[in-house]
Amino acid sequence: MPESLPTYRLYAIKYASREARRSDHFIGGDARDERMDMDYFIWVAVGAGRTIVIDTGFSAEVAARRKRKLLRCPIEALRLIGIEPGEVKDVIHTHLHYDHAGNIDLLPAATFHLQQSELAFAVGPDMRFRYFAAGYEADDIANLVRLNFARRLKLYDGAFTFAPGIEIDIAPGHSVGLQYLRIHTERGWITLAGDVASFFENISRQRPFVAAVDIAQMLRSYEKVRATVPSLDYLIPGHDTLVMESYPPASEELAGIVVRLDLPPLRPIPDRAAR
């Protein structure tokens, strides 16, 4: 009889926000140009004797320069759920855009996990194009290179099993080496899509997000991650305010700051593609 998989608690921590409109998010704009804000998250999986931080957010300096509203340091916010940043051993970077790859100096004991294609793109010749370079912070990329020299960076080439109950695959389009995770929880497998889809609507309406290295790949990646779940109740996008609104808080005091993704949503996530 096969050994049962471990289950993980899965948290989303909101650390920043941005006021925006629907036309800011979809290629081609949107006829219903209403307000549509963005939330910025890091995620944490806890279980089987492991604590895994997924992405590391951006700093106060970057927030000020890019005009984002920083609500809290994402790494310091780990303490809200009882995690000491200095004790974190593993960080998975979904990709290296500025809102996912900062603050790594605040995690001094961690090993970082990343697709080698993502790092290669971020240090490669296409960074001479402002369109691509604008998504990255040069200091963040330089810090990752230093981690590689320090043997604290593990680079992967495609899909792999990170640990029992945590599977990682690639779904490019938004970036070249974009990773998503499938995490086993008490309610089943959750697909942490991250920026494979910034919003639920990217998938449910097949509307590509404005930041893309390859739009066709992005649309195929929407289909790929959607096929991993029975409904959008089991898929977590990278920036949708519905995440914080739909999932139960980690505690009453953390409402609006930390939610539990391993628990069912308080209300079903709309899924037009399923109709």
Side-chain angles (χ1 to χ4, degrees), residues 32-214:
R32 187 161 54 93
D33 190 21
E34 304 161 347
R35 182 168 171 173
M36 188 178 187
D37 293 349
M38 295 183 79
D39 282 348
Y40 295 83
F41 305 103
I42 66 168
W43 302 273
V44 186
V46 180
R50 292 177 173 269
T51 296
I52 301 152
V53 173
I54 302 148
D55 289 340
T56 53
F58 51 71
S59 67
E61 178 187 358
V62 170
R65 179 156 32 82
R66 291 179 178 262
K67 297 180 172 55
R68 303 297 187 254
K69 184 177 181 181
L70 185 68
L71 304 171
R72 56 194 57 86
C73 170
I75 306 306
E76 291 295 323
L78 293 171
R79 294 191 169 98
L80 297 173
I81 54 174
I83 296 169
E84 284 299 317
E87 297 176 3
V88 171
K89 296 295 191 295
D90 289 294
V91 174
I92 296 170
H93 277 306
T94 60
H95 62 306
L96 295 180
H97 283 165
Y98 77 94
D99 50 328
H100 298 264
N103 302 306
I104 63 174
D105 57 312
L106 302 180
L107 297 158
T111 295
F112 294 76
H113 305 268
L114 176 71
Q115 289 291 319
Q116 64 183 30
S117 59
E118 182 72 9
L119 183 61
F121 184 75
V123 299
D126 287 330
M127 287 302 104
R128 73 187 187 278
F129 299 120
R130 185 175 180 181
Y131 174 81
F132 294 128
Y136 299 86
E137 287 288 326
D139 288 344
D140 294 344
I141 305 308
N143 286 337
L144 265 294
V145 172
R146 292 186 184 98
L147 284 182
N148 196 30
F149 276 80
R151 300 179 182 86
R152 291 179 55 204
L153 180 64
K154 288 191 175 181
L155 296 170
Y156 301 85
D157 184 15
F160 64 100
T161 297
F162 178 81
I166 298 182
E167 298 178 352
I168 297 177
D169 201 352
I170 59 170
H174 175 63
S175 76
V176 169
L178 183 55
Q179 302 186 127
Y180 70 94
L181 293 84
R182 296 184 68 242
I183 300 172
H184 191 246
T185 73
E186 287 285 355
R187 71 180 179 109
W189 286 94
I190 305 299
T191 293
L192 179 54
D195 280 11
V196 175
S198 293
F199 299 96
F200 289 109
E201 281 193 51
N202 293 132
I203 291 175
S204 65
R205 298 177 65 210
Q206 295 187 322
R207 293 292 310 279
F209 187 62
V210 290
V213 294
D214 188 316

